[in-house]
Amino acid sequence: MRTLILALGNELMKDDGVGLKVGRILAQKGYNVIEIGTDIFRLQRCYSGEERLIIIDAILSDEFAPGEIIHLRGEEVFEKLKAEIRSAHFMGAVDGLKLLMALDERLKNAELHFIGVVAKEVELGMELSEEVRKAFPRAVELVEELAKN
């Protein structure tokens, strides 16, 4: 199954850059990664019909501690991120993805995974908080496990 990894985030906003940083490590290892940043609509230009999408991003949550990693699948991505967890991008990469899926049948049928790393600090700066830095290797490992299956 062909897999596309979408690395989201803003590396100028501390922990919000974790998705991009994880994506870069995975790209160096040879995985198919697109750095989406904060523009989910880049997916429309870069999508080549891959059957599996794995999104890696920072999330904000009152329910989970900083550095915790969550894994959502399929429709759960849209339900949970809208109701319980706030995207660090506020506009809604999730809403943008839903729109793209409505417009592209191939995208709508792709197996969808979301790996979220709970952010502690989303403010100007390029360094990751200690909690997110400690979670970083596990986030890379989890995406690799999903991509290989």
Side-chain angles (χ1 to χ4, degrees), residues 18-84:
V18 69
L20 292 171
K21 292 175 182 185
V22 167
R24 288 182 188 134
I25 295 295
L26 293 164
Q28 289 172 0
K29 292 182 171 196
Y31 291 94
N32 184 16
V33 177
I34 296 175
E35 285 193 25
I36 296 292
T38 58
D39 181 11
I40 191 67
F41 294 102
R42 282 197 67 211
L43 174 59
Q44 183 180 25
R45 296 184 302 275
C46 302
Y47 181 64
S48 300
E50 291 86 356
E51 297 86 5
R52 178 187 296 131
L53 293 176
I54 303 172
I55 301 167
I56 176 77
D57 195 8
I59 59 171
L60 302 172
S61 175
D62 297 326
E63 184 178 338
F64 300 101
E68 282 192 58
I69 299 172
I70 63 152
H71 176 199
L72 304 174
R73 299 162 186 84
E75 280 299 312
E76 186 180 34
V77 172
F78 304 108
E79 294 163 10
K80 294 277 187 180
L81 287 179
K82 206 149 184 84
E84 299 168 22

Side-chain angles (χ1 to χ4, degrees), residues 79-147:
E79 294 163 10
K80 294 277 187 180
L81 287 179
K82 206 149 184 84
E84 299 168 22
I85 302 166
R86 300 172 312 279
S87 167
H89 305 296
F90 306 112
M91 171 277 160
V94 171
D95 292 330
L97 179 61
K98 202 167 197 173
L99 175 62
L100 290 174
M101 292 176 103
L103 298 172
D104 188 327
E105 192 70 27
R106 300 170 307 158
L107 199 52
K108 184 167 82 175
N109 293 324
E111 178 183 307
L112 179 63
H113 296 269
F114 180 92
I115 304 300
V117 181
V118 180
K120 179 179 183 182
E121 300 171 343
V122 179
E123 57 192 44
L124 197 57
M126 294 188 69
E127 65 282 349
L128 298 176
S129 66
E130 182 178 347
E131 293 86 345
V132 171
R133 197 170 43 254
K134 286 180 180 177
F136 188 91
R138 178 63 186 133
V140 171
E141 184 179 288
L142 184 53
V143 175
E144 283 187 290
E145 288 170 10
L146 290 169

